[in-house]
Amino acid sequence: MTDINTAWSALGGDPALVPRISTVARRGALEARLPVRELARACVGACALAAAELGARRAGRAEVPGVLVDDGAVATAFVSERHLLIDGRAPVSFAPLSRFWRTADGWVRTHANYPHHRARLLSALRLPGDASVEAVADVLAGRSASEVEETVYGAGGLAVALRTAAEWAVHPQGVAVAGRPLVERERFDAARARALPPLDGDPLLPAAGVRVLDLTRVIAGPVATRTLALLGADVLRVDAPQLPEDPDAHADTGFGKRSTRLDLGVAADRRTFEELLGQADVVVTGYRPGALDRFDLSPEALADRRPGLIVAQLSAWGAYGPWGGRRGFDSLVQVATGIAAIEGAPERPGALPAQALDHGTGYLLSASVLRALTEQTDQGHGLVLRLALARTAAWLMAPGGVGPAYEESGTAYNRPDAWLVETDSGIGRLRHALSPVSFTGGPVNWARPPGRWGTDPARWA
């Protein structure tokens, strides 16, 4: 249980509650050279325990419900995007230009799933907008990996050079990340948060009545808010109209939530946002640090305008160091930190069996919000929480950080169908993974399926 202890301690939890967690081990779940299964267990277990703790507090129960962490449920949920079917159709996870490329002296990985990222990558390489994979490969083969990394970043694109763990350990950003806690928790004010009513009913929904503004994209942030929605929170995702979300990504992570569009550069939309903020209990942000500052939406500004607010900030590299303002994704963090080198072969880099930094950090982010809500019932103050994919990666790679990489005990994990269900929705019939967050008396599935992106009213339920 050492790994779950570490996560629970990072959240400020009472160590006496950790024995409430039971684990079902399954051979073959998330197998890798690094201890991915153990990290996944820890993140999900900490999240479920935080939910059970808050539920017991709000329901007036003396004992925290028992938590069950099943490797099968966890492994299935950590690749939820791969299990999703929409009317029988499987989504496409990565675009053709999101991949590893050989350079003159090594490898780089690019991310170009969104049209604007593809355009910036090709512009940086001085290639036309319809350039082929072969044309990109020819250009990159003649350049150094570090040159490509800096050139593409300078154009607003996404490319990262492959590094070993030793190289990342001495990189200025690697040093900055290693010096930070797994979950940063900063108290901002002494204002009393809105009192949440006592809970009753079945299932037990620890976050019932909590209003969450979701300003996140891609996997980690949406996984966190998807989990809060499972637990009863009123989650409203807000996106800019000019940055459309991939509909398949939204289908995977939109369960339990509503989705609206607001242009914060337009006065009327900004007023609507401020009205939403004035009644919010939690704001979760997933844009690169500094990206929202021009709208006066830094964590500090949000906390100042809404005393008692919980602000949870997610980033790829951390909100500090020379890469603090850079964009990033799970696949790129794996490449920079040495994970891809460890999981690969001499002739080609590899990858984890899941986007485990995204999913793991998402559950930790949700857990940090739940623990903050529990603390507010006693102390009432606002909190700013900060998590980073690169910091989760450092935990995964630390010697003895999350336990052994292999475990021979337990039943084999060979039937993910046990944790998949089908649900009708406004976007079609969905086959999807159930949440791995499980505690006695808690919810099993979301109360509502995802709708179409950006089509809900900009108001609280």
Side-chain angles (χ1 to χ4, degrees), residues 149 153 158-161 163 168 171 173-174 176-178 180 288-289 314-337 387-391 393:
E149 180 179 89
Y153 166 69
L158 292 143
V160 171
R163 291 174 173 82
W168 180 248
H171 187 280
Q173 190 63 30
V177 168
R180 297 287 181 138
R288 63 183 174 84
L314 170 76
S315 62
W317 308 106
Y320 41 76
W323 285 17
R326 291 198 178 194
R327 299 173 179 86
F329 293 91
D330 181 303
S331 58
L332 302 182
V333 175
Q334 289 190 39
V335 172
T337 59
L387 293 88
L389 304 187
R391 184 60 187 85

Side-chain angles (χ1 to χ4, degrees), residues 48 51 115 130 165 289 292 294 386 392 394 396 407:
D130 60 352
L292 298 176
R294 69 185 187 278
R386 292 185 175 90
T392 304
L396 174 66
E407 187 173 287

Side-chain angles (χ1 to χ4, degrees), residues 332-372:
L332 302 182
V333 175
Q334 289 190 39
V335 172
T337 59
I339 291 173
I342 291 171
E343 295 292 340
E347 64 274 10
R348 186 176 179 83
L352 299 176
Q355 294 187 71
L357 306 179
D358 261 333
H359 285 271
T361 308
Y363 289 108
L364 277 180
L365 183 63
S366 179
S368 70
V369 170
L370 294 165
R371 285 248 59 254

Side-chain angles (χ1 to χ4, degrees), residues 184-194 280-283 299-300 302-312 368-369 371-386:
E184 296 185 56
R185 294 155 46 84
E186 183 178 0
R187 179 171 174 167
F188 254 78
D189 59 55
R192 296 299 304 178
R194 183 172 68 93
D281 303 297
V282 178
V283 176
E300 295 80 4
L302 288 166
D304 184 61
R305 293 210 299 287
R306 176 72 167 92
L309 185 70
I310 295 169
V311 182
S368 70
V369 170
R371 285 248 59 254
L373 289 167
T374 297
E375 290 181 2
Q376 281 191 336
T377 62
D378 294 328
Q379 303 168 27
H381 56 74
L383 277 172
V384 173
L385 312 162
R386 292 185 175 90

Side-chain angles (χ1 to χ4, degrees), residues 64-99:
V64 171
V67 167
L68 179 66
V69 181
D70 190 313
D71 283 350
V74 173
T76 303
F78 264 56
V79 290
S80 62
E81 63 274 11
R82 300 181 202 170
H83 290 301
L84 179 70
L85 294 178
I86 306 172
D87 287 333
R89 175 185 62 82
V92 176
S93 297
F94 284 96
L97 298 188
S98 296
R99 48 166 284 183

Side-chain angles (χ1 to χ4, degrees), residues 175-236:
V175 172
V177 168
R180 297 287 181 138
L182 181 61
V183 178
E184 296 185 56
R185 294 155 46 84
E186 183 178 0
R187 179 171 174 167
F188 254 78
D189 59 55
R192 296 299 304 178
R194 183 172 68 93
L196 298 174
L199 290 180
D200 56 15
D202 183 25
L204 180 64
L205 298 174
V210 175
R211 301 184 189 115
V212 179
L213 272 178
D214 178 5
L215 310 181
T216 70
R217 294 170 66 83
V218 197
I219 297 177
V223 163
T225 52
R226 179 179 71 182
T227 304
L228 294 172
L230 171 81
L231 299 169
D234 179 10
V235 180
L236 180 62

